[in-house]
Amino acid sequence: QQGSAINLDLHASLTDTGGDAETLSLKISGLPDNAVLNHGTHDAVAKMWILSEADLKGLTLDIKNPNFHGDLHFSVTATASASGESESTTQNVSLHVNAPPAIASAITDSVAEAASNQHNIDLLQGATDTEGHVLSVDGLSYKVGNNIASSALPTGVSLAADGHTLVVDATDNAFNHLAQGDSQTITVTYNIKDPDGGSTVQTATLTVTGTNDAPIIGVATGSVTDQTATTTSGKICLLYTSDAADDLL
């Protein structure tokens, strides 16, 4: 991936023909001028890297250009030497350096409690890919307020079938406790990925703000029987009124 060391999985070995002991050396040429291998010796004049067979284990390439992406071409020449004689073979190698998805900024959004039962947040908004890949999200983690983050969806929140749209039901009872002036944050941390393995961490923060819900008047029904055995029925209106956020009215 762009901006990180590249593992070079190169293999070369000698074939024992029963003759004198042979040694194996390798030369890598065609790398960018500033590129650095973690093993071997660089020949600045010949513009190549010289390695032994042991240097191939754990070999990595650092292009030293965090903005480079695209195809990289170089050649590897393996030389077997014995008794003053040598024989070489060359293999061309091509690598694709993938540019990870780019994001404009962290996502922020807000919705008033009880305002909508389907407030949508596109977790891919502001995300782009220089190579035109279709992007996706995974590894979603949700944190409500100061609670511990969890992979479980919070109550009142769901993920649409497209896999990247967060749907918030602000009318859910989970937000009913919010009085006017109060708020609750839901922070989502996740990875934006492309098909070539590129990945970028993104966060989306939703703030649900409390509202002053309309008062609800409690009404009770009943009947009264007097001493003459005459029954009267009707409604008794309670003097206590309240709103859904338990404000005293």
Side-chain angles (χ1 to χ4, degrees):
Q1 177 171 302
Q2 181 187 43
S4 60
I6 302 170
N7 294 321
L8 296 182
D9 189 18
L10 303 177
H11 299 276
S13 60
L14 294 167
T15 301
D16 186 3
T17 60
D20 296 332
E22 294 179 311
T23 59
L24 179 66
S25 63
L26 299 101
K27 296 177 181 179
I28 298 180
S29 58
L31 293 174
D33 290 341
N34 294 327
V36 175
L37 297 175
N38 65 330
H39 298 155
T41 303
H42 183 240
D43 185 335
V45 176
K47 294 186 177 182
M48 66 174 59
W49 285 80
I50 302 171
L51 303 93
S52 67
E53 184 178 1
D55 289 331
L56 296 181
K57 185 177 182 180
L59 184 64
T60 63
L61 167 65
D62 186 349
I63 299 177
K64 295 297 183 180
N65 180 357
N67 298 316
F68 178 85
H69 63 88
D71 294 326
L72 181 66
H73 307 284
F74 59 93
S75 62
V76 180
T77 299
T79 301
S81 302
S83 301
E85 297 182 353
S86 63
E87 186 174 348
S88 300
T89 182
T90 299
Q91 178 72 49
N92 294 323
V93 179
S94 296
L95 295 176
H96 179 72
V97 180
N98 182 49
I103 55 176
S105 62
I107 299 171
T108 58
D109 202 350
S110 63
V111 62
E113 173 247 335
S116 170
N117 64 354
Q118 193 169 0
H119 183 80
N120 295 339
I121 304 171
D122 184 3
L123 299 179
L124 289 178
Q125 63 178 280
T128 57
D129 188 90
T130 59
E131 294 163 325
H133 291 137
V134 176
L135 302 177
S136 60
V137 303
D138 74 352
L140 288 91
S141 175
Y142 308 89
K143 183 178 181 180
V144 180
N146 294 322
N147 295 329
I148 298 174
S150 169
S151 59
L153 281 162
T155 303
V157 179
S158 60
L159 195 62
D162 62 14
H164 62 81
T165 300
L166 210 62
V167 182
V168 181
D169 181 1
T171 67
D172 193 277
N173 289 335
F175 307 114
N176 243 0
H177 67 283
L178 295 172
Q180 189 171 20
D182 290 343
S183 64
Q184 178 174 291
T185 59
I186 300 174
T187 303
V188 188
T189 303
Y190 54 99
N191 302 314
I192 298 179
K193 302 184 67 176
D194 66 32
D196 286 342
S199 181
T200 302
V201 177
Q202 173 66 307
T203 60
T205 301
L206 171 72
T207 301
V208 182
T209 58
T211 59
N212 191 19
D213 299 327
I216 301 172
I217 301 177
V219 177
T221 61
S223 62
V224 177
T225 303
D226 63 16
Q227 293 179 349
T228 61
T230 300
T231 300
T232 301
S233 64
K235 295 182 178 179
I236 302 173
C237 293
L238 305 180
L239 296 179
Y240 173 77
T241 59
S242 67
D243 65 10
D246 292 334
D247 295 326
L248 185 59
L249 303 175

